[in-house]
Short mmCIF file of all heavy atoms in Angstrom, two decimals:
data_model
loop_
_atom_site.label_atom_id
_atom_site.label_comp_id
_atom_site.label_asym_id
_atom_site.label_seq_id
_atom_site.Cartn_x
_atom_site.Cartn_y
_atom_site.Cartn_z
N GLY I 137 28.48 26.41 18.70
CA GLY I 137 28.33 27.63 17.91
C GLY I 137 29.04 28.84 18.46
O GLY I 137 29.50 29.69 17.71
N SER I 138 29.16 28.95 19.78
CA SER I 138 29.79 30.12 20.37
C SER I 138 31.23 29.87 20.81
O SER I 138 31.86 30.72 21.40
CB SER I 138 28.98 30.58 21.60
OG SER I 138 28.92 29.54 22.57
N SER I 139 31.78 28.68 20.50
CA SER I 139 33.15 28.34 20.90
C SER I 139 34.17 29.03 20.01
O SER I 139 34.05 29.00 18.78
CB SER I 139 33.36 26.83 20.84
OG SER I 139 34.73 26.51 21.01
N PRO I 140 35.21 29.65 20.59
CA PRO I 140 36.25 30.28 19.76
C PRO I 140 37.14 29.26 19.07
O PRO I 140 37.94 29.62 18.21
CB PRO I 140 37.04 31.11 20.78
CG PRO I 140 36.85 30.38 22.08
CD PRO I 140 35.45 29.84 22.04
N ASP I 141 37.03 27.96 19.46
CA ASP I 141 37.84 26.91 18.86
C ASP I 141 37.22 26.33 17.59
O ASP I 141 37.84 25.54 16.90
CB ASP I 141 38.06 25.76 19.86
CG ASP I 141 38.84 26.20 21.09
OD1 ASP I 141 39.76 27.02 20.93
OD2 ASP I 141 38.53 25.72 22.19
N TYR I 142 36.02 26.75 17.30
CA TYR I 142 35.26 26.13 16.22
C TYR I 142 34.42 27.18 15.52
O TYR I 142 33.71 27.95 16.17
CB TYR I 142 34.37 25.04 16.82
CG TYR I 142 33.29 24.48 15.94
CD1 TYR I 142 33.53 23.34 15.15
CD2 TYR I 142 32.03 25.04 15.91
CE1 TYR I 142 32.53 22.81 14.36
CE2 TYR I 142 31.02 24.51 15.11
CZ TYR I 142 31.29 23.40 14.34
OH TYR I 142 30.28 22.86 13.56
N ILE I 143 34.51 27.23 14.20
CA ILE I 143 33.73 28.18 13.43
C ILE I 143 33.01 27.43 12.32
O ILE I 143 33.64 26.89 11.41
CB ILE I 143 34.62 29.28 12.81
CG1 ILE I 143 35.45 29.99 13.89
CG2 ILE I 143 33.76 30.28 12.05
CD1 ILE I 143 36.51 30.91 13.32
N LEU I 144 31.71 27.37 12.39
CA LEU I 144 30.93 26.72 11.34
C LEU I 144 30.83 27.67 10.15
O LEU I 144 30.47 28.83 10.30
CB LEU I 144 29.54 26.37 11.85
CG LEU I 144 28.66 25.54 10.91
CD1 LEU I 144 29.22 24.14 10.75
CD2 LEU I 144 27.24 25.48 11.45
N VAL I 145 31.16 27.17 8.98
CA VAL I 145 31.06 27.96 7.76
C VAL I 145 29.66 27.77 7.19
O VAL I 145 29.31 26.69 6.72
CB VAL I 145 32.11 27.54 6.72
CG1 VAL I 145 31.99 28.40 5.46
CG2 VAL I 145 33.51 27.64 7.32
N SER I 146 28.86 28.78 7.27
CA SER I 146 27.48 28.68 6.82
C SER I 146 27.36 28.98 5.34
O SER I 146 28.21 29.63 4.74
CB SER I 146 26.60 29.66 7.61
OG SER I 146 26.61 29.35 8.98
N ASN I 147 26.27 28.51 4.77
CA ASN I 147 25.97 28.89 3.40
C ASN I 147 25.59 30.37 3.36
O ASN I 147 25.58 31.05 4.39
CB ASN I 147 24.84 28.00 2.85
CG ASN I 147 23.59 28.06 3.70
OD1 ASN I 147 23.01 29.11 3.91
ND2 ASN I 147 23.16 26.92 4.21
N GLY I 148 25.24 30.86 2.21
CA GLY I 148 24.98 32.27 2.06
C GLY I 148 23.72 32.77 2.74
O GLY I 148 23.57 33.96 2.98
N GLY I 149 22.82 31.89 3.10
CA GLY I 149 21.56 32.29 3.74
C GLY I 149 20.41 31.53 3.11
O GLY I 149 20.62 30.59 2.37
N LEU I 150 19.21 31.89 3.38
CA LEU I 150 18.86 33.08 4.13
C LEU I 150 18.69 32.81 5.63
O LEU I 150 18.65 33.74 6.42
CB LEU I 150 17.54 33.65 3.59
CG LEU I 150 17.56 34.13 2.13
CD1 LEU I 150 16.19 34.53 1.69
CD2 LEU I 150 18.54 35.24 1.91
N CYS I 151 18.54 31.53 6.02
CA CYS I 151 18.29 31.21 7.43
C CYS I 151 19.52 31.48 8.27
O CYS I 151 20.61 31.03 7.96
CB CYS I 151 17.88 29.75 7.57
SG CYS I 151 16.40 29.31 6.64
N ARG I 152 19.36 32.17 9.38
CA ARG I 152 20.50 32.49 10.23
C ARG I 152 20.69 31.49 11.35
O ARG I 152 21.75 31.45 11.97
CB ARG I 152 20.32 33.88 10.85
CG ARG I 152 19.14 33.98 11.81
CD ARG I 152 19.05 35.36 12.44
NE ARG I 152 17.84 35.57 13.19
CZ ARG I 152 17.65 35.17 14.44
NH1 ARG I 152 18.62 34.53 15.08
NH2 ARG I 152 16.50 35.39 15.05
N ASN I 153 19.67 30.66 11.66
CA ASN I 153 19.73 29.87 12.90
C ASN I 153 20.01 28.38 12.71
O ASN I 153 20.73 27.79 13.49
CB ASN I 153 18.43 30.02 13.68
CG ASN I 153 17.20 29.66 12.85
OD1 ASN I 153 17.11 30.01 11.67
ND2 ASN I 153 16.26 28.96 13.45
N ARG I 154 19.50 27.72 11.67
CA ARG I 154 19.62 26.27 11.61
C ARG I 154 20.06 25.72 10.26
O ARG I 154 20.93 24.87 10.20
CB ARG I 154 18.28 25.62 12.01
CG ARG I 154 17.91 25.85 13.46
CD ARG I 154 16.57 25.23 13.78
NE ARG I 154 16.58 23.79 13.71
CZ ARG I 154 15.53 23.03 13.94
NH1 ARG I 154 14.37 23.59 14.24
NH2 ARG I 154 15.61 21.72 13.87
N VAL I 155 19.48 26.14 9.21
CA VAL I 155 19.72 25.53 7.91
C VAL I 155 20.99 26.10 7.30
O VAL I 155 20.95 27.00 6.46
CB VAL I 155 18.52 25.75 6.97
CG1 VAL I 155 18.67 24.96 5.70
CG2 VAL I 155 17.24 25.35 7.68
N ARG I 156 22.16 25.55 7.70
CA ARG I 156 23.44 26.15 7.34
C ARG I 156 24.32 25.24 6.48
O ARG I 156 25.46 25.58 6.16
CB ARG I 156 24.18 26.57 8.60
CG ARG I 156 23.44 27.64 9.40
CD ARG I 156 24.14 28.00 10.69
NE ARG I 156 24.02 26.93 11.68
CZ ARG I 156 24.52 27.01 12.91
NH1 ARG I 156 25.18 28.10 13.27
NH2 ARG I 156 24.37 26.02 13.76
N GLN I 157 23.84 24.06 6.08
CA GLN I 157 24.63 23.10 5.32
C GLN I 157 24.91 23.55 3.90
O GLN I 157 24.27 24.46 3.38
CB GLN I 157 23.92 21.74 5.29
CG GLN I 157 22.63 21.72 4.49
CD GLN I 157 21.42 21.96 5.34
OE1 GLN I 157 21.50 22.49 6.45
NE2 GLN I 157 20.26 21.58 4.82
N TYR I 158 25.88 22.88 3.24
CA TYR I 158 26.19 23.12 1.84
C TYR I 158 25.43 22.15 0.93
O TYR I 158 24.98 22.52 -0.14
CB TYR I 158 27.69 23.00 1.58
CG TYR I 158 28.43 24.33 1.72
CD1 TYR I 158 28.11 25.22 2.73
CD2 TYR I 158 29.43 24.68 0.83
CE1 TYR I 158 28.77 26.43 2.86
CE2 TYR I 158 30.10 25.89 0.95
CZ TYR I 158 29.77 26.76 1.96
OH TYR I 158 30.43 27.96 2.08
N PHE I 159 25.36 20.87 1.33
CA PHE I 159 24.57 19.87 0.61
C PHE I 159 23.72 19.11 1.62
O PHE I 159 24.06 19.01 2.80
CB PHE I 159 25.46 18.86 -0.13
CG PHE I 159 26.17 19.39 -1.33
CD1 PHE I 159 27.50 19.77 -1.27
CD2 PHE I 159 25.50 19.51 -2.55
CE1 PHE I 159 28.16 20.24 -2.38
CE2 PHE I 159 26.15 19.99 -3.67
CZ PHE I 159 27.49 20.36 -3.59
N GLY I 160 22.62 18.54 1.17
CA GLY I 160 21.79 17.72 2.03
C GLY I 160 20.59 17.18 1.28
O GLY I 160 19.99 17.89 0.46
N LEU I 161 20.24 15.93 1.54
CA LEU I 161 19.08 15.29 0.93
C LEU I 161 18.49 14.29 1.91
O LEU I 161 18.95 14.16 3.05
CB LEU I 161 19.47 14.59 -0.38
CG LEU I 161 19.66 15.48 -1.61
CD1 LEU I 161 20.27 14.69 -2.76
CD2 LEU I 161 18.34 16.08 -2.04
N GLY I 162 17.48 13.54 1.47
CA GLY I 162 16.82 12.54 2.29
C GLY I 162 16.65 11.24 1.54
O GLY I 162 17.55 10.80 0.83
N SER I 163 15.49 10.64 1.64
CA SER I 163 15.25 9.32 1.07
C SER I 163 15.41 9.30 -0.45
O SER I 163 15.74 8.27 -1.03
CB SER I 163 13.84 8.85 1.42
OG SER I 163 12.86 9.63 0.75
N GLU I 164 15.20 10.41 -1.09
CA GLU I 164 15.25 10.49 -2.55
C GLU I 164 16.67 10.63 -3.10
O GLU I 164 16.87 10.80 -4.29
CB GLU I 164 14.42 11.68 -3.02
CG GLU I 164 15.06 13.04 -2.81
CD GLU I 164 15.32 13.35 -1.36
OE1 GLU I 164 14.59 12.86 -0.48
OE2 GLU I 164 16.28 14.09 -1.09
N THR I 165 17.68 10.51 -2.22
CA THR I 165 19.06 10.83 -2.60
C THR I 165 19.60 9.99 -3.75
O THR I 165 20.40 10.48 -4.54
CB THR I 165 19.98 10.73 -1.36
OG1 THR I 165 21.29 11.20 -1.70
CG2 THR I 165 20.09 9.29 -0.86
N ARG I 166 19.19 8.70 -3.87
CA ARG I 166 19.76 7.83 -4.91
C ARG I 166 19.44 8.29 -6.32
O ARG I 166 20.21 8.05 -7.25
CB ARG I 166 19.29 6.38 -4.72
CG ARG I 166 19.89 5.67 -3.52
CD ARG I 166 19.54 4.20 -3.52
NE ARG I 166 20.22 3.49 -2.43
CZ ARG I 166 19.61 3.08 -1.32
NH1 ARG I 166 18.31 3.32 -1.15
NH2 ARG I 166 20.29 2.46 -0.39
N LYS I 167 18.33 8.91 -6.50
CA LYS I 167 17.91 9.28 -7.84
C LYS I 167 17.67 10.78 -8.00
O LYS I 167 16.85 11.20 -8.81
CB LYS I 167 16.66 8.49 -8.23
CG LYS I 167 16.93 7.00 -8.42
CD LYS I 167 15.74 6.27 -9.01
CE LYS I 167 16.09 4.81 -9.28
NZ LYS I 167 14.95 4.07 -9.87
N THR I 168 18.40 11.55 -7.23
CA THR I 168 18.35 12.99 -7.39
C THR I 168 19.78 13.51 -7.57
O THR I 168 20.63 13.31 -6.72
CB THR I 168 17.71 13.67 -6.16
OG1 THR I 168 16.40 13.13 -5.97
CG2 THR I 168 17.61 15.17 -6.36
N SER I 169 20.03 14.13 -8.69
CA SER I 169 21.37 14.62 -9.00
C SER I 169 21.66 15.95 -8.31
O SER I 169 20.77 16.79 -8.17
CB SER I 169 21.53 14.79 -10.51
OG SER I 169 22.77 15.39 -10.83
N THR I 170 22.91 16.14 -7.90
CA THR I 170 23.36 17.41 -7.34
C THR I 170 24.46 18.03 -8.19
O THR I 170 25.19 18.90 -7.72
CB THR I 170 23.88 17.22 -5.90
OG1 THR I 170 25.02 16.33 -5.93
CG2 THR I 170 22.80 16.64 -5.00
N TYR I 171 24.60 17.59 -9.43
CA TYR I 171 25.71 18.04 -10.27
C TYR I 171 25.62 19.52 -10.60
O TYR I 171 24.56 20.03 -10.96
CB TYR I 171 25.73 17.23 -11.57
CG TYR I 171 26.86 17.60 -12.48
CD1 TYR I 171 28.17 17.29 -12.12
CD2 TYR I 171 26.63 18.28 -13.67
CE1 TYR I 171 29.23 17.64 -12.94
CE2 TYR I 171 27.68 18.63 -14.50
CZ TYR I 171 28.98 18.31 -14.13
OH TYR I 171 30.02 18.67 -14.94
N VAL I 172 26.75 20.20 -10.48
CA VAL I 172 26.85 21.61 -10.82
C VAL I 172 27.43 21.71 -12.23
O VAL I 172 28.58 21.32 -12.46
CB VAL I 172 27.76 22.37 -9.84
CG1 VAL I 172 27.83 23.85 -10.19
CG2 VAL I 172 27.27 22.18 -8.41
N PRO I 173 26.68 22.18 -13.21
CA PRO I 173 27.17 22.19 -14.59
C PRO I 173 28.28 23.20 -14.83
O PRO I 173 28.38 24.21 -14.13
CB PRO I 173 25.91 22.55 -15.38
CG PRO I 173 25.07 23.30 -14.41
CD PRO I 173 25.32 22.69 -13.08
N ASP I 174 29.11 22.92 -15.83
CA ASP I 174 30.19 23.82 -16.21
C ASP I 174 29.62 25.15 -16.71
O ASP I 174 28.54 25.18 -17.30
CB ASP I 174 31.02 23.18 -17.33
CG ASP I 174 31.65 21.86 -16.91
OD1 ASP I 174 31.81 21.67 -15.70
OD2 ASP I 174 31.95 21.05 -17.81
N PRO I 175 30.32 26.22 -16.48
CA PRO I 175 31.65 26.33 -15.87
C PRO I 175 31.59 26.68 -14.39
O PRO I 175 32.51 27.28 -13.85
CB PRO I 175 32.27 27.48 -16.67
CG PRO I 175 31.09 28.40 -16.90
CD PRO I 175 29.91 27.48 -17.12
N TYR I 176 30.49 26.30 -13.72
CA TYR I 176 30.29 26.70 -12.33
C TYR I 176 30.78 25.64 -11.35
O TYR I 176 30.81 24.45 -11.66
CB TYR I 176 28.81 27.01 -12.08
CG TYR I 176 28.27 28.02 -13.04
CD1 TYR I 176 27.56 27.61 -14.16
CD2 TYR I 176 28.50 29.37 -12.85
CE1 TYR I 176 27.08 28.54 -15.07
CE2 TYR I 176 28.04 30.31 -13.74
CZ TYR I 176 27.32 29.89 -14.86
OH TYR I 176 26.87 30.82 -15.75
N ALA I 177 31.19 26.08 -10.17
CA ALA I 177 31.60 25.18 -9.09
C ALA I 177 31.48 25.95 -7.78
O ALA I 177 31.53 27.19 -7.76
CB ALA I 177 33.03 24.69 -9.28
N ILE I 178 31.33 25.20 -6.68
CA ILE I 178 31.27 25.81 -5.36
C ILE I 178 32.69 25.89 -4.81
O ILE I 178 33.30 24.86 -4.48
CB ILE I 178 30.37 25.00 -4.41
CG1 ILE I 178 28.95 24.91 -5.00
CG2 ILE I 178 30.33 25.62 -3.02
CD1 ILE I 178 28.05 23.94 -4.28
N GLU I 179 33.23 27.07 -4.71
CA GLU I 179 34.62 27.24 -4.30
C GLU I 179 34.78 27.00 -2.80
O GLU I 179 34.09 27.60 -1.99
CB GLU I 179 35.10 28.65 -4.64
CG GLU I 179 36.58 28.88 -4.31
CD GLU I 179 37.04 30.30 -4.61
OE1 GLU I 179 36.17 31.15 -4.95
OE2 GLU I 179 38.25 30.57 -4.50
N ILE I 180 35.74 26.13 -2.43
CA ILE I 180 36.05 25.86 -1.02
C ILE I 180 37.56 25.73 -0.86
O ILE I 180 38.29 25.49 -1.81
CB ILE I 180 35.37 24.58 -0.50
CG1 ILE I 180 35.84 23.36 -1.29
CG2 ILE I 180 33.85 24.70 -0.54
CD1 ILE I 180 35.45 22.04 -0.66
N GLY I 181 38.03 25.85 0.39
CA GLY I 181 39.43 25.61 0.71
C GLY I 181 40.38 26.70 0.28
O GLY I 181 41.59 26.46 0.20
N ASN I 182 39.89 27.89 0.00
CA ASN I 182 40.78 28.99 -0.37
C ASN I 182 41.65 29.33 0.83
O ASN I 182 41.14 29.77 1.87
CB ASN I 182 39.95 30.20 -0.78
CG ASN I 182 40.79 31.34 -1.31
OD1 ASN I 182 42.00 31.41 -1.06
ND2 ASN I 182 40.17 32.24 -2.05
N PRO I 183 42.98 29.13 0.75
CA PRO I 183 43.85 29.36 1.92
C PRO I 183 43.81 30.79 2.43
O PRO I 183 44.08 31.04 3.61
CB PRO I 183 45.24 28.97 1.41
CG PRO I 183 45.16 29.10 -0.08
CD PRO I 183 43.76 28.71 -0.44
N GLU I 184 43.46 31.72 1.57
CA GLU I 184 43.41 33.12 1.99
C GLU I 184 42.23 33.39 2.92
O GLU I 184 42.21 34.42 3.60
CB GLU I 184 43.32 34.02 0.76
CG GLU I 184 44.56 33.95 -0.14
CD GLU I 184 44.44 34.86 -1.34
OE1 GLU I 184 43.39 35.53 -1.49
OE2 GLU I 184 45.39 34.90 -2.14
N LYS I 185 41.25 32.47 2.96
CA LYS I 185 40.08 32.68 3.80
C LYS I 185 40.12 31.89 5.10
O LYS I 185 39.22 32.02 5.94
CB LYS I 185 38.82 32.30 3.01
CG LYS I 185 38.57 33.21 1.82
CD LYS I 185 37.27 32.87 1.12
CE LYS I 185 37.02 33.82 -0.04
NZ LYS I 185 35.74 33.51 -0.73
N VAL I 186 41.16 31.04 5.30
CA VAL I 186 41.28 30.26 6.53
C VAL I 186 41.90 31.12 7.62
O VAL I 186 43.01 31.65 7.45
CB VAL I 186 42.14 29.00 6.32
CG1 VAL I 186 42.25 28.19 7.62
CG2 VAL I 186 41.56 28.13 5.20
N PRO I 187 41.21 31.32 8.75
CA PRO I 187 41.77 32.14 9.83
C PRO I 187 43.09 31.58 10.34
O PRO I 187 43.30 30.36 10.36
CB PRO I 187 40.68 32.08 10.92
CG PRO I 187 39.43 31.70 10.21
CD PRO I 187 39.86 30.80 9.09
N ASP I 188 43.98 32.45 10.76
CA ASP I 188 45.27 32.03 11.31
C ASP I 188 45.07 31.09 12.49
O ASP I 188 44.26 31.37 13.38
CB ASP I 188 46.08 33.26 11.76
CG ASP I 188 46.58 34.09 10.58
OD1 ASP I 188 46.60 33.58 9.45
OD2 ASP I 188 46.92 35.28 10.81
N GLY I 189 45.81 29.98 12.50
CA GLY I 189 45.73 29.02 13.60
C GLY I 189 44.61 28.01 13.47
O GLY I 189 44.43 27.17 14.35
N TYR I 190 43.85 28.06 12.36
CA TYR I 190 42.73 27.15 12.16
C TYR I 190 42.98 26.23 10.96
O TYR I 190 43.83 26.52 10.10
CB TYR I 190 41.43 27.93 11.92
CG TYR I 190 40.87 28.59 13.14
CD1 TYR I 190 41.40 29.79 13.62
CD2 TYR I 190 39.81 28.03 13.84
CE1 TYR I 190 40.87 30.42 14.74
CE2 TYR I 190 39.27 28.64 14.96
CZ TYR I 190 39.81 29.83 15.41
OH TYR I 190 39.29 30.43 16.51
#
Side-chain angles (χ1 to χ4, degrees):
S138 60
S139 170
D141 296 323
Y142 167 92
I143 305 170
L144 187 68
V145 181
S146 298
N147 57 58
L150 297 174
C151 301
R152 65 177 171 83
N153 55 319
R154 293 178 67 181
V155 188
R156 297 177 288 181
Q157 68 266 19
Y158 269 41
F159 288 100
L161 283 170
S163 68
E164 75 299 331
T165 187
R166 289 189 175 105
K167 291 189 176 180
T168 303
S169 174
T170 62
Y171 182 69
V172 181
D174 300 337
Y176 306 98
I178 301 170
E179 183 182 7
I180 60 168
N182 186 340
E184 296 180 0
K185 295 184 178 181
V186 180
D188 290 342
Y190 287 79

